[in-house]
Amino acid sequence: MLPGKGIGTRYLYLVPYAWAILVMVFAIRYAFPQTDDFCTFGRLFGPSGDNPFVETWSVYHSWTGRYASTFLITAVGWLSTLIPVPLQQSYRGALVLFFATYLLSCFIVSRVVSGRRRGAPALALIVASATLVLMPSKLEEFIWLTGAAVYFVSLALLLLLIGMIDQPVDVDDEGSSRPLSWSVVALLIAGVGINEFIALAIGGFLLLRFAFYAHGRTFRKQNLIYLLIYLAALAVTIFAPGNFARDAGVAAPHHSLEGALELALASFSIFVDMHVRPNIFLLVCLVIVSLLSGFEVYEDNRGRRNMYRILAVSITLVGSFPMHLFVYSFLSGEETPGRIINEAYPLALIGVCVLASYLGARLRDRFGSAPMAVVRLCICAVGIVLVSSPQLRQVVTVIRDFGPTWNAEQLARIDMVKQAAREKVSVTVPEFSREGSTPPLLQGADIDGDKAYWVNQCVASFYSVPSIETSPRSR
């Protein structure tokens, strides 16, 4: 029988999901600073004098109001000056920490379904592994620091915020008002400043929660204060001088409701063709396995309040997908790029899984018990399907066949550029070997043969060399 009495055997059926997560963690072993990282670190170690607050303030005035993500990136660079290890090691350490925060957030949000503080481990591992495997561009999401800080940590902050606000409570609607949680306040301020899409999702969640609990006294004062804090943080983000400076350079027609709707629909059509239709079997399996995960938490899942909690969470997460598409097109006048899909798609998947798990709990409550050995065997079987998917196999292939090559070429280039920096001369380095995967897992935009190219300039500034360019690698 699958479910044994010990904790090790009890969760044995979840091994495939844990394996998928471990594969993704291992890919971070080959992470190196890329593109925008060099720009940010170059300014941090130069004009900003190793001070992350100075750099954050400068970017706030010149480029973006995303104060939380800017500070997060620069804090990693600043900490690297305090730790006696190469930058790439502290860089990877930060990415692993971001990754762990995301896993924690999946567990915390599972408490919304379970109605208990120990959460729902099965649902947490299912949503964590599935979103990581199905994420369109893993490079932009959790292997590249700038992308991870803006679009991956943001997922974690939203999920943590939802899970911590809607944690299980024992007081009824006629009881005294719930006190503020200062950890929630901190997450609220950080979440609003991480990026504008998460800020809007947070606002939607707070409004839904305010509406669903408007009839009772328990959450009224707390909800109102959270909303006021949210609005203040949102104003700080929206009215950043950098937003207006950046938008002044946008050539595409933007801030058009009709145009944004057309672009959002076009982006959605492309998304369906690229990411839904090819994975329809896996997506259906994911919904079924989430439904089955609810069978383990049904006894803690009753009552109207829990239904309100599930609705608020599911509507927020699923609704964030069309919101991302529309808002991006409205602000930029362009179709939604992959990095935005990377954030919106996992949120929608998690929202569907949370709702399916809740429905599974209600089904078991209504129709009686089910043989848990069979349920867990089914969950395990879907996990095997997940780890057998082309998406995960591609990750395994890249880190096995290309990872060591990528690592050696990166280290060789670093040595060449540092030598040129000591001699204060320009440097020409070989091109990197091509990774060959689409989308790439490890390899982002690189310097090229044009010294004036912005990536070249950022890398040259970071290493303090007059200029840098590439020469074709000998074949």
Side-chain angles (χ1 to χ4, degrees), residues 84-422:
V85 297
L87 174 63
Q88 62 264 25
Q89 298 298 339
S90 56
Y91 185 93
R92 294 168 189 164
L95 293 177
V96 170
L97 181 61
F98 295 170
F99 200 103
T101 304
Y102 179 67
L103 298 183
L104 174 65
S105 73
C106 291
F107 176 77
I108 294 295
V109 84
S110 77
R111 301 191 313 188
V112 175
V113 177
S114 70
R116 54 190 178 186
R117 294 190 181 278
R118 63 182 180 272
L123 179 63
L125 279 177
I126 288 166
V127 298
S129 58
T131 52
L132 290 167
V133 169
L134 291 171
M135 200 172 280
S137 173
K138 290 143 183 85
L139 169 66
E140 289 183 313
E141 195 70 9
F142 62 86
I143 299 180
W144 169 45
L145 182 67
T146 298
V150 178
Y151 299 109
F152 192 50
V153 177
S154 58
L155 297 178
L157 287 180
L158 178 60
L159 297 178
L160 285 171
L161 190 63
I162 287 173
M164 292 180 70
I165 289 180
D166 263 336
Q167 58 186 303
V169 294
D170 299 320
V171 63
D172 60 22
D173 282 336
E174 300 305 318
S176 59
S177 179
R178 286 199 68 196
L180 290 181
S181 165
W182 292 109
S183 58
V184 168
V185 170
L187 283 172
L188 185 59
I189 295 171
V192 171
I194 202 87
N195 72 55
E196 58 275 13
F197 307 106
I198 292 299
L200 291 173
I202 291 172
F205 174 70
L206 292 176
L207 288 173
L208 284 170
R209 190 171 184 265
F210 192 86
F212 286 154
Y213 291 112
H215 64 283
R217 294 166 46 196
T218 304
F219 298 99
R220 186 182 299 162
K221 182 178 178 181
Q222 183 198 63
N223 284 341
L224 182 59
I225 295 175
Y226 284 155
L227 274 171
L228 291 174
I229 294 171
Y230 166 79
L231 290 173
L234 187 64
V236 171
T237 301
I238 288 177
F239 295 110
N243 289 336
F244 300 97
R246 185 186 67 249
D247 287 349
V250 175
H254 56 294
H255 298 168
S256 165
L257 293 175
E258 183 180 354
L261 181 59
E262 291 178 358
L263 288 170
L265 290 174
S267 299
F268 181 74
S269 177
I270 294 171
F271 164 76
V272 170
D273 289 340
M274 292 184 64
H275 302 296
V276 176
R277 288 199 176 99
N279 300 310
I280 191 67
F281 175 72
L282 190 55
L283 291 170
V284 171
C285 288
L286 179 60
V287 173
I288 293 173
V289 81
S290 298
L291 194 78
L292 293 175
S293 74
F295 280 47
E296 292 191 304
V297 296
Y298 78 102
E299 70 276 6
D300 301 308
N301 198 300
R302 304 176 183 182
R304 185 174 60 178
R305 173 179 290 143
N306 211 49
M307 181 184 71
Y308 287 157
R309 297 165 67 209
I310 298 297
L311 284 176
V313 172
S314 300
I315 292 172
T316 298
L317 297 180
V318 176
S320 70
F321 188 88
M323 180 272 291
H324 273 66
L325 300 185
F326 177 81
V327 170
Y328 182 87
S329 295
F330 178 78
L331 293 177
S332 69
E334 300 172 350
E335 288 188 2
T336 311
R339 64 181 183 275
I340 306 299
I341 299 295
N342 274 336
E343 182 176 77
Y345 186 22
L347 289 176
L349 285 176
I350 294 170
V352 169
C353 292
V354 165
L355 184 59
S357 184
Y358 176 74
L359 293 176
R362 299 278 51 79
L363 286 174
R364 182 176 176 184
D365 187 44
R366 183 177 181 86
F367 297 108
S369 62
M372 291 309 298
V374 174
V375 168
R376 289 173 179 171
L377 278 171
C378 291
I379 293 175
C380 184
V382 173
I384 294 173
V385 171
L386 183 71
V387 299
S388 303
S389 65
Q391 292 92 334
L392 190 66
R393 291 203 309 270
Q394 181 193 54
V395 175
V396 172
T397 300
V398 169
I399 62 179
R400 181 193 64 205
D401 297 341
F402 181 73
T405 298
W406 173 249
N407 188 75
E409 291 181 2
Q410 281 275 7
L411 294 177
R413 176 181 288 186
I414 290 171
D415 287 342
M416 288 182 65
V417 179
K418 285 185 174 180
Q419 179 62 34
R422 285 191 290 268

